């Protein structure tokens, strides 16, 4: 009996591959970088299913080149790289990997927040570059106290709420915005639901946890940045295009904002020439928030489970709905 053909656009951890290998004929793109457009089309020409990454653009043209495709299992929780509506119109299911990366992502938002507030990266450079000439001084590398300050969480979904639970451990005052109130979250953390402008005006730290869609693209633009408290910080490990990067640069370079922690950028990979990277008050990372080893294994297993459910005629657990 012929097995369905599965195209995988990058090597995902073995934990998931092992579950898939006996059930699919697998074609695995072997390189570190994404398949170029012609290789993607070639890989999909006869594929019944695929595993995609957030850096694979799966648009109408790609779907048109995949006449047999019935299932896209995304190796990420976000799926803004996939034209989900076009997929659905073609009867193609799309799944993602929620939950398993919530803690890793919240941890990393926290790592960025602590690093920028307490100047960890600057301090590391200061020591390594031989600038530490005086043993101790009351004004050396002063940063911002995190405990007892106010954090504003934009988007209190799974990851935003996990950031909020960590903030409670730091005795922070927690604000959140979003379309709905989260009663349980409020009970556990003492968080208060406010509108976006109030959150921006009152928070010392603003942390973004929204999906990228037509409502959130550029939601933090020059006007919204101008509402933020002078000396506040912004953290983004959701999606880069949620912030207008040029406006953010202005706000940081002028000293109006005290700093930013960024794991995501308008264009990825971001160019080393990005002006934000010239600023000492910006801590950056290359989109690695979910990059915990066990987390990545679990993401791979979820991808496999979704594909196997589809293969066995069941509803995959993590189907996404069009926004
Ligand atoms: C996601 O899952 O959407 C993250 O951005 C990468 O893990």
């Amino acid at each position: 009996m012929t097995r369905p053909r599965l195209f995988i656009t990058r090597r995902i951890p073995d934990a998931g591959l092992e579950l898939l290998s006996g059930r699919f004929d697998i074609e695995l793109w072997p390189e570190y970088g994404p398949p170029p457009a012609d290789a993607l089309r070639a890989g999909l020409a006869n594929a019944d299913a695929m595993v995609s990454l957030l850096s694979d653009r799966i648009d109408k043209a790609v779907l048109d080149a995949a006449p047999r495709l019935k299932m896209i299992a995304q190796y990420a929780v976000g799926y803004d790289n996939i034209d989900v509506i076009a997929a659905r119109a073609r009867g193609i299911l799309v799944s993602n990997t929620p939950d398993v990366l919530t803690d890793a992502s919240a941890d990393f938002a926290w790592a960025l927040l602590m690093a920028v507030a307490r100047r960890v990266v600057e301090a590391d450079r200061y020591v390594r570059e031989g600038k530490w000439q005086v043993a101790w001084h009351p004004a050396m590398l002063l940063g911002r106290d995190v405990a007892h300050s106010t954090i504003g969480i934009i988007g209190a979904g799974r990851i935003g709420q996990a950031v909020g639970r960590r903030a409670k451990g730091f005795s922070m005052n927690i604000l959140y915005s979003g379309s709905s109130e989260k009663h349980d979250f409020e009970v556990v953390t003492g968080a208060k639901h406010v509108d976006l402008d109030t959150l921006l005006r009152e928070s010392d730290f603003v942390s973004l946890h929204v999906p990228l869609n037509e409502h959130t693209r550029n939601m933090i633009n020059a006007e919204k940045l101008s509402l933020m408290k002078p000396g506040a910080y912004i953290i983004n490990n959701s999606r880069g295009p949620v912030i207008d990067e040029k406006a953010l640069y202005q706000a940081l370079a002028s000293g109006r904002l005290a700093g930013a922690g960024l794991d995501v950028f308008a264009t990825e990979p971001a160019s080393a020439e990005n002006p934000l990277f010239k600023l000492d008050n910006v801590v950056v990372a290359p989109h690695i928030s979910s990059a915990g080893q066990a987390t990545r294994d679990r993401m791979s297993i979820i991808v496999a489970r979704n594909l196997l459910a589809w293969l066995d005629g069941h509803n995959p657990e993590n189907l996404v709905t069009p926004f």
Side-chain angles (χ1 to χ4, degrees), residues 50 55 79 89 102 116 157 165 185 188 194 199 217 220 239 247 261 274-275 279 290 292-293 298 301 314:
M50 79 177 293
S55 48
Y79 49 88
T102 297
V116 69
R165 290 193 295 275
F185 176 53
V188 169
V194 293
L199 180 149
R217 186 175 292 277
I220 304 300
R239 287 293 183 265
N274 187 323
L279 301 175
S290 68
Q293 202 170 332
R298 286 196 293 267
I301 290 170
H314 306 303

Side-chain angles (χ1 to χ4, degrees), residues 10-290:
R10 231 68 45 78
R11 187 171 188 92
I12 59 172
D14 287 347
L17 286 179
E18 280 160 14
L19 295 174
L20 293 166
S21 62
R23 306 287 309 278
F24 288 90
D25 269 347
I26 296 178
E27 186 187 344
L28 179 65
W29 178 250
E31 295 183 19
Y32 193 77
D38 53 344
L40 183 60
R41 283 162 195 248
L44 290 177
N46 292 311
D48 299 290
M50 79 177 293
V51 176
S52 56
L53 267 57
L54 54 88
S55 48
D56 301 316
R57 180 132 299 284
I58 312 294
D59 56 17
K60 288 194 185 75
V62 170
L63 295 173
D64 286 342
R68 298 169 53 114
L69 196 66
K70 284 282 165 285
M71 166 103 194
I72 303 171
Q74 167 94 335
Y75 182 77
V77 65
Y79 49 88
D80 47 279
N81 57 306
I82 302 172
D83 187 336
V84 175
I85 295 170
R88 173 170 280 199
R90 289 161 174 76
I92 301 170
L93 302 179
V94 180
S95 65
N96 68 343
T97 61
D99 300 316
V100 289
L101 48 69
T102 297
D103 282 325
S105 302
D107 287 349
F108 203 76
W110 212 259
L112 290 170
L113 187 155
M114 293 298 289
V116 69
R118 297 300 309 276
R119 304 175 66 182
V120 175
V121 178
E122 279 183 84
D124 179 274
R125 275 192 230 119
Y126 188 83
V127 174
R128 289 172 196 264
E129 291 171 4
K131 292 182 180 152
W132 190 20
Q133 301 290 333
V134 171
W136 200 89
H137 190 281
M140 189 192 294
L141 285 162
L142 286 182
R144 173 68 65 87
D145 290 303
V146 173
H148 306 289
S149 62
T150 297
I151 186 168
I153 297 169
I154 301 180
R158 301 179 193 86
I159 298 173
Q161 290 191 33
V163 167
R165 290 193 295 275
R166 284 154 178 75
K168 182 176 161 59
F170 282 78
S171 307
M172 292 173 92
N173 177 34
I174 304 167
L175 305 176
Y176 72 102
S177 66
S179 51
S180 59
E181 294 182 23
K182 313 279 179 177
H183 180 68
D184 292 351
F185 176 53
E186 293 184 6
V187 170
V188 169
T189 62
K192 193 170 142 211
H193 187 248
V194 293
D195 61 60
L196 177 60
D197 290 2
T198 304
L199 180 149
L200 293 169
R201 281 194 190 97
E202 295 186 5
S203 300
D204 301 301
F205 297 93
V206 170
S207 195
L208 286 156
H209 301 287
V210 288
L212 177 63
N213 57 38
E214 71 269 26
H215 305 296
T216 60
R217 186 175 292 277
N218 268 327
M219 80 186 287
I220 304 300
N221 54 21
E223 184 222 323
K224 294 297 181 198
L225 288 166
S226 75
L227 297 178
M228 286 178 67
K229 264 190 185 178
Y233 295 78
I234 191 158
I235 309 299
N236 188 15
N237 70 347
S238 60
R239 287 293 183 265
V242 167
I243 302 185
D244 175 342
E245 257 179 29
K246 286 202 176 83
L248 177 63
Y249 175 82
Q250 290 303 331
L252 290 162
S254 67
R256 195 167 177 289
L257 292 188
L262 306 171
D263 184 42
V264 289
F265 300 89
T267 304
E268 295 179 1
S271 155
E273 301 310 313
N274 187 323
L276 287 166
F277 303 165
K278 309 281 182 272
L279 301 175
D280 282 336
N281 55 346
V282 178
V283 173
V284 294
H287 204 146
I288 55 166
S289 286
S290 68

